[in-house]
Amino acid sequence: MTQDRLTKATVAECALRLADAEGLEAVTIRRLAKEQGVTPMALYWHFKNKDELLLGMVDHALSGVRAEPGTGDPWQKRLRTVIETVAGVLRDHPSLPTLLHAVDKTQTESFNRATNDTLALLSDAGFTVEEGYWVAMHLLNGCIGMVSGQPGCPPTVPPEQAAEWLRQKRLHLESMASDRFPLMVEFAASYRDEPDVEHYYAFSIDLLVAGVETMAANRRA
C-alpha cells in the first residue's frame, strides 16, 4: 500500500487482523509498517505511539456499534440490536476482549458514542443514568463472556485437530463419577456433534435481554 492511501482506518484494521491472528503482542509499529509496505514513519503520522494505536484499534472495532435512538423502535429492540452488534464484533475480532482491558475505552469516540446511546435507551427503560451505566458494562462483559464461552473447540485449536479435541473432551466428561456428577456425564453427549453455534448466540442474547427487561418491568411494577 502506498503512503498516500494509508489512513487511520486501514492501519487500525491491519492491526486488528494481526492481533486476531497472532495475539496483541505481535502488534508493533515496525511489524505493521512491513505489513502495509511503508516505513514506520508513515504510521507515526497517524499514531504517535503504540498506546494511540491500541486506542485506534478499539475505536475502529466499535465504530459500527450504535443504539440508533432516532429509529422509533422500542428500547427492547434497540438494546437487542446493540448486543447483537457487540457480540458480532467480538466474534470477528478474538483479540478485542484483551484489547478492551488493555486501554481506557473512554478515550475513544466510538465507545463513548455507543455507551451514550445505550444510556439513552436504558433511560427509556426506567433506569437512572448510573444504573444504566452498570447495566451497559454488565452487558459488555456478558458479550465478552458469551464469545469466550462459545461451545466447541477453542479458536486456538487448528481445524484439523477439532474432531480429536471434541472426542477427548467428551471422554473426559464421561469418565467422571456418575454418582457424584451425573449431569456433567450427561452433558458429555453434547460433544458428540458439532455445536449449533448460532442457536447458542441467540439463546445467550435472549438471556441478557431478558434480564434487563425483567428488571425494568419490576421497577415499573
Side-chain angles (χ1 to χ4, degrees), residues 123-201:
S123 177
D124 291 344
F127 296 98
T128 68
V129 172
E130 186 178 25
E131 291 170 339
Y133 193 82
W134 297 340
V135 173
M137 293 307 99
H138 171 75
L139 294 175
L140 174 59
N141 286 302
C143 288
I144 292 173
M146 181 196 312
V147 175
S148 64
Q150 178 177 313
C153 292
T156 54
V157 176
E160 64 274 13
Q161 298 176 18
E164 180 59 19
W165 187 94
L166 290 169
R167 189 180 76 87
Q168 291 295 335
K169 186 71 174 180
R170 175 175 56 80
L171 291 175
H172 168 68
L173 292 172
E174 288 176 342
S175 69
M176 290 183 175
S178 59
D179 58 331
R180 296 174 59 202
F181 311 110
L183 296 180
M184 292 296 289
V185 174
E186 181 180 341
F187 179 64
S190 67
Y191 285 92
R192 290 187 179 276
D193 302 308
E194 283 293 322
D196 186 343
V197 174
E198 297 310 316
H199 175 64
Y200 163 80
Y201 277 105

Side-chain angles (χ1 to χ4, degrees), residues 49-114:
N49 50 51
K50 187 170 180 178
D51 289 339
E52 281 196 9
L53 173 61
L54 296 179
L55 287 169
M57 292 164 65
V58 170
D59 199 34
H60 181 70
L62 299 180
S63 60
V65 181
R66 296 301 306 268
E68 300 298 343
T71 62
D73 290 329
W75 69 265
Q76 295 92 333
K77 184 175 181 180
R78 286 184 285 136
L79 182 64
R80 179 178 295 274
T81 299
V82 170
I83 297 172
E84 289 173 343
T85 304
V86 172
V89 171
L90 289 165
R91 292 176 70 180
D92 290 340
H93 298 294
S95 64
L96 191 53
T98 301
L99 183 57
L100 288 170
H101 286 111
V103 302
D104 179 1
K105 301 179 286 295
T106 61
Q107 294 188 43
T108 66
E109 175 76 15
S110 60
F111 175 82
N112 290 333
R113 184 189 62 227

Side-chain angles (χ1 to χ4, degrees), residues 7-20 27 32 36 47 53 56-58 60-61 63 92-93 95:
T7 65
K8 276 193 172 185
T10 57
V11 175
E13 181 63 31
C14 180
L16 281 168
R17 289 198 306 269
L18 182 59
D20 293 337
V27 179
L32 282 175
Q36 296 283 352
F47 300 104
L53 173 61
M57 292 164 65
V58 170
H60 181 70
S63 60
D92 290 340
H93 298 294
S95 64

